[in-house]
Amino acid sequence: MADTKTVEQVIETHKASGKFFKTDGLQTFALDYGNGEAVQNVPYPIQVIWGAKDPGLTIDHFGKEIQKATDVKEIAQLPARHFLQEEQWENIADKIEEIIHRSHEASNF
């Protein structure tokens, strides 16, 4: 059986690693592109959603970096620039719903 941790345990692990920061009451994990520890061998699903037209963080470069750091095979590309959460929020919500359903089905509940 896989090692399962609570969200609180995962947060504590990342706090201890120095890859955690808190802003405006939101808890955020910082992705270290050098080794990707924040997204490797974790007990929760990972999904990458990218603005396909992002001029600074291009999918050709940074998408490959994220794929190296994770086991994510597919990157969901949305027709947006850098602030895709403002341009494509409905599509992002759909992608989040999809991963929730896939995770639920995989957990055999």
Side-chain angles (χ1 to χ4, degrees):
M1 178 178 229
D3 179 30
T4 57
K5 296 180 181 179
T6 66
V7 171
E8 290 79 17
Q9 289 170 320
V10 171
I11 289 171
E12 288 305 315
T13 299
H14 287 292
K15 280 182 180 178
S17 73
K19 294 177 171 55
F20 179 88
F21 56 93
K22 191 169 185 171
T23 58
D24 298 329
L26 299 175
Q27 297 174 338
T28 308
F29 298 106
L31 175 60
D32 178 351
Y33 286 108
N35 60 25
E37 289 177 9
V39 292
Q40 290 177 338
N41 303 313
V42 292
Y44 45 82
I46 297 171
Q47 175 175 237
V48 179
I49 305 172
W50 209 277
K53 300 175 188 174
D54 190 325
L57 300 176
T58 63
I59 194 160
D60 290 338
H61 176 76
F62 291 98
K64 287 183 173 115
E65 292 294 317
I66 287 180
Q67 284 180 313
K68 286 180 197 173
T70 68
D71 64 355
V72 172
K73 305 289 186 258
E74 181 180 319
I75 296 177
Q77 295 185 53
L78 300 179
R81 294 173 58 84
H82 187 70
F83 295 103
L84 66 157
Q85 69 276 15
E86 294 176 8
E87 298 175 37
Q88 295 288 320
W89 60 271
E90 288 177 321
N91 287 330
I92 293 171
D94 290 343
K95 294 293 181 191
I96 293 170
E97 188 173 355
E98 287 172 18
I99 198 169
I100 289 169
H101 288 294
R102 284 195 313 268
S103 298
H104 181 73
E105 290 169 3
S107 68
N108 297 316
F109 282 114

